Amino acid sequence: MTAAASELGFVMSYHASSLASGRSHNIGVVLPFVNRWYFATLLEGANSALMDAGYDLTLYDFQGDRYRESVLGDFLLRKRLDGVLAVSLQLNAHETEQILAAGIPVVGVGGPLPGIPTLRIDDVEVGRRATNHLISLGHTRVAHLGGEHEYGRNFEISSGRRAGYEDAMAAAGLPLREAWSLISDYSANDAYKETKQLLADAEERPTAIFCASDEMAFGAMLAARDLGLRIPEELSVIGVDGHEMGEILGLTTIDQFPRSQGTRAVERLLALVQDDGDAAAAGPADELMETRLVVRSSTSAPRIPAGQPGA
Amino acid sequence: MTAAASELGFVMSYHASSLASGRSHNIGVVLPFVNRWYFATLLEGANSALMDAGYDLTLYDFQGDRYRESVLGDFLLRKRLDGVLAVSLQLNAHETEQILAAGIPVVGVGGPLPGIPTLRIDDVEVGRRATNHLISLGHTRVAHLGGEHEYGRNFEISSGRRAGYEDAMAAAGLPLREAWSLISDYSANDAYKETKQLLADAEERPTAIFCASDEMAFGAMLAARDLGLRIPEELSVIGVDGHEMGEILGLTTIDQFPRSQGTRAVERLLALVQDDGDAAAAGPADELMETRLVVRSSTSAPRIPAGQPGA
DNA sequence: TTGAAAGCGCTAACAG
DNA sequence: CTGTTAGCGCTTTCAA
């Protein structure tokens, strides 16, 4: 296209171009919730990388499971996408086959998706590290607030972090109480309710809680404050994600750099797309991303006021 | 298409269909930040309405101003969109002309965009109502934390809410102090910093603060707590948006139902698209959306401890 | 009513 | 190396 043409306001038709070439310069991003910090931030990263490469981003938000079927069964198969980024998505055999049969390159984040190259953090290790941080401070009464089983299809993650928690507790010879293993829907509000209930009984109260996301940790911190418990003196809290608001709450967390996950996943996907599905060119099938423990003021050695049960 | 065909796994090519018919069943959503609660929630609403109507959603996230030019100058003009939803976007004459010249129906949210049908709340009224809530409780020392001037292009909103605040203060014969008029970037973290500075000087301290968003209100509440100020006894806080986390923080707010704004905006846009740009069919050029004052525990009459300056 | 044919505006392959 | 032409897979129009 000449400069003169573009100055006249001429713009090429991408429909025609797509039809003729088979390339649409359009990537689909599939995720369970746009309105959770982790996903929104990862999406931002993906968006940056795609804009920079001149690609459009088509968003498919399951909104829990509400649109799961129609996205997987209809939208993704319309052959208008050069590739799909699947975030925290768990596919069954039929679904995987259907997508791959459509000939669309897919990269997953937070998998594993069998047969699909995936980017992820080591969730078991994250759970272990968070729990060990608390244990190394001297805590023996450690609770865990994880993700809902109901969302298990999309959130296999939560079981990994829980496994790491149980692992670390066992390795330290510490007791796992059923009452200390909480399940929420990953929202701050639900975490607040669960934590308030957990902390209500002074006898059974843990001295520390490991939350599988920062948003849940926010809820836990607020619940503790509302019960008059001091953080970290009477309750230590650690989260996962690296949410900016953690700074002003003083939340100790394991940062997983979701933005970088988004840009890296797009890099991988575009490599696949541009090398025409040649998986080898795109790097390892299972790529592990960095995480980092960020210690702030929400965790410390347990300093339990007199009259409380203690370690 | 027959049922038999679809059972054989046949899927129509949307590229060909788009080229032949000129309709792509694809709507662009333009917004300044996916990672702010208001925008993410509005996006969720838009996504629902679009999925239900069988439309794809192409996301254009400016990320502040980072991609503003390329979205407006390149991406939107590629003629692959049946319509555009422009959220909190302010266009200059050239930009408006360019978009309209491309023949793409546009609906705005939070405008006004001259020449484009727009959905919005009455921001001046919102500012007035929030401020009057505080005044009616007996506050005379009321501060305002609003949006950044730097983002003025996208956030004309902030000036409306500020105008309402100044309006209400003047109507009640109350003083406006420059030190009580704060500006932040709409994030909780920045609001925290600004508020902490504001509240540091006990002499000059207001007894109430009106924040132009709930996320900013969260920051303000945390700043107050960290300074040892009790909410609402020593500081009342009111926000705008209706963020769910406001429930567990007890934040009084003016709910603007962003999800409904998203679905309603899509309704309007699809009406335009399907009636082939016949603006009359799509409703009023400037549609006002509902808001609702939700009173919780972050606001009350000022009850200032002895030794503090007061009303 | 049903069926054939002519584009939609590009890309890619081919011939000159 | 440049210029021409045949599709890409639909929608829509026109003839039967």
Side-chain angles (χ1 to χ4, degrees):
Chain A
M1 180 164 70
T2 69
S6 75
E7 269 163 32
L8 286 170
F10 172 81
V11 207
M12 186 177 74
S13 158
Y14 273 67
H15 291 148
S17 168
S18 298
L19 179 58
S21 71
R23 308 230 140 291
S24 56
H25 283 256
N26 188 195
I27 295 292
V29 175
V30 179
L31 41 76
F33 293 104
V34 247
N35 204 356
R36 293 263 200 284
W37 185 85
Y38 169 73
F39 297 113
T41 306
L42 194 153
L43 177 60
E44 229 171 53
N47 178 67
S48 281
L50 288 170
M51 289 296 288
D52 292 344
Y55 278 71
D56 271 341
L57 188 167
T58 302
L59 179 68
Y60 299 101
D61 177 9
F62 283 176
Q63 302 197 22
D65 267 352
R66 187 167 165 193
Y67 294 109
R68 188 178 200 280
E69 260 186 74
S70 56
V71 168
L72 258 30
D74 293 355
F75 285 88
L76 289 190
L77 307 177
R78 293 182 177 175
K79 311 195 176 177
R80 35 162 69 175
L81 301 172
D82 288 347
V84 170
L85 194 62
V87 186
S88 292
L89 177 59
Q90 197 108 359
L91 297 175
N92 63 36
H94 175 65
E95 290 162 341
T96 309
E97 182 198 5
Q98 208 170 23
I99 301 257
L100 292 180
I104 314 169
V106 182
V107 163
V109 177
L113 296 167
I116 288 173
T118 300
L119 236 76
R120 62 183 187 90
I121 59 172
D122 185 338
D123 282 298
V124 178
E125 176 57 25
V126 162
R128 214 182 279 127
R129 192 139 63 117
T131 310
N132 279 334
H133 171 66
L134 297 170
I135 293 172
S136 73
L137 288 168
H139 293 273
T140 58
R141 307 166 62 86
V142 180
H144 174 59
L145 178 51
E148 214 167 10
H149 286 326
E150 205 187 327
Y151 289 111
R153 260 193 311 197
N154 298 332
F155 288 98
E156 196 56 28
I157 299 121
S158 61
S159 63
R161 294 186 194 161
R162 187 178 301 276
Y165 157 72
E166 292 173 356
D167 225 52
M169 292 293 277
L174 295 174
L176 281 172
R177 301 204 198 176
E178 206 174 317
W180 289 352
S181 203
L182 305 181
I183 290 173
S184 102
D185 66 3
Y186 267 89
S187 75
N189 286 12
D190 199 45
Y192 176 90
K193 281 177 214 131
E194 291 290 334
T195 306
K196 211 160 184 181
Q197 211 169 323
L198 168 74
L199 299 177
D201 182 352
E203 297 302 313
E204 291 295 320
R205 185 181 294 158
T207 62
I209 182 166
F210 157 43
C211 300
S213 83
D214 283 351
E215 276 166 300
M216 287 195 278
F218 297 161
M221 289 178 84
L222 294 173
R225 286 193 193 188
D226 282 358
L227 288 170
L229 295 174
R230 299 211 41 132
I231 293 172
E233 290 81 358
E234 293 167 86
L235 186 76
S236 282
V237 179
I238 184 170
V240 177
D241 274 351
H243 195 308
E244 302 97 356
M245 241 182 85
E247 292 172 26
I248 61 182
L249 276 155
L251 177 64
T252 294
T253 192
I254 296 188
D255 195 339
Q256 65 166 323
F257 311 102
R259 205 175 198 293
S260 307
Q261 291 179 14
T263 57
R264 177 61 185 147
V266 165
E267 260 176 54
R268 293 283 308 268
L269 183 55
L270 292 186
L272 260 184
V273 167
Q274 281 152 12
D275 291 16
D276 221 26
D278 177 11
D286 190 26
E287 181 173 344
L288 240 48
M289 300 292 288
E290 291 295 307
T291 59
R292 183 166 60 205
L293 175 65
V294 179
V295 180
R296 299 204 187 93
S297 57
S298 70
T299 50
S300 76
R303 276 171 280 165
I304 299 171
Q308 295 270 350
Chain B
M1 179 164 69
T2 69
S6 74
E7 268 162 35
L8 287 170
F10 173 82
V11 205
M12 186 177 72
S13 157
Y14 274 68
H15 291 146
S17 169
S18 298
L19 178 59
S21 70
R23 307 228 141 295
S24 56
H25 282 256
N26 188 196
I27 296 292
V29 175
V30 179
L31 41 76
F33 291 104
V34 250
N35 203 355
R36 293 265 200 280
W37 183 87
Y38 169 74
F39 297 113
T41 305
L42 193 153
L43 178 59
E44 231 172 52
N47 177 67
S48 282
L50 288 170
M51 289 295 288
D52 291 343
Y55 278 72
D56 271 340
L57 189 169
T58 302
L59 179 68
Y60 299 101
D61 177 8
F62 283 177
Q63 302 197 22
D65 266 352
R66 186 165 165 196
Y67 294 110
R68 189 179 199 280
E69 260 185 74
S70 55
V71 167
L72 258 30
D74 293 354
F75 285 88
L76 289 190
L77 305 177
R78 291 182 179 176
K79 310 198 176 172
R80 34 160 75 175
L81 301 172
D82 288 346
V84 170
L85 194 62
V87 186
S88 292
L89 178 60
Q90 198 109 357
L91 297 176
N92 64 36
H94 175 64
E95 290 163 341
T96 309
E97 182 198 4
Q98 208 169 24
I99 301 260
L100 293 179
I104 314 171
V106 182
V107 164
V109 177
L113 297 168
I116 288 173
T118 301
L119 236 76
R120 62 184 186 89
I121 59 173
D122 185 338
D123 282 298
V124 178
E125 175 58 24
V126 162
R128 217 183 276 127
R129 192 139 62 116
T131 310
N132 280 333
H133 171 68
L134 298 169
I135 293 173
S136 72
L137 287 168
H139 292 274
T140 58
R141 306 166 63 85
V142 180
H144 174 59
L145 178 51
E148 215 167 11
H149 286 326
E150 205 187 328
Y151 289 111
R153 258 192 311 198
N154 299 329
F155 289 97
E156 196 56 29
I157 299 119
S158 61
S159 63
R161 295 186 193 162
R162 188 179 300 277
Y165 156 74
E166 292 173 354
D167 226 50
M169 292 293 277
L174 296 175
L176 281 171
R177 300 204 196 172
E178 204 172 319
W180 289 352
S181 203
L182 306 181
I183 290 172
S184 101
D185 64 2
Y186 267 89
S187 75
N189 285 12
D190 198 45
Y192 176 90
K193 280 177 215 130
E194 291 290 334
T195 306
K196 211 159 185 182
Q197 210 169 325
L198 168 73
L199 299 177
D201 182 353
E203 297 301 314
E204 291 295 321
R205 186 182 296 161
T207 62
I209 182 165
F210 157 44
C211 299
S213 82
D214 283 351
E215 275 166 299
M216 286 194 280
F218 297 160
M221 289 179 83
L222 294 174
R225 287 194 191 186
D226 282 357
L227 289 169
L229 295 174
R230 298 212 42 132
I231 293 172
E233 289 81 359
E234 294 168 86
L235 185 75
S236 283
V237 179
I238 185 172
V240 176
D241 275 349
H243 195 307
E244 302 97 356
M245 241 182 86
E247 291 172 27
I248 60 181
L249 276 154
L251 176 65
T252 294
T253 191
I254 296 188
D255 195 339
Q256 65 166 321
F257 310 102
R259 206 177 198 291
S260 307
Q261 291 179 15
T263 57
R264 177 62 185 145
V266 164
E267 259 177 56
R268 293 284 309 268
L269 183 55
L270 291 185
L272 261 184
V273 166
Q274 281 152 14
D275 291 15
D276 222 27
D278 175 12
D286 190 25
E287 181 175 343
L288 239 50
M289 301 292 288
E290 291 295 307
T291 58
R292 183 166 62 204
L293 175 64
V294 179
V295 180
R296 298 203 187 93
S297 57
S298 70
T299 51
S300 76
R303 276 172 279 165
I304 298 170
Q308 296 272 350

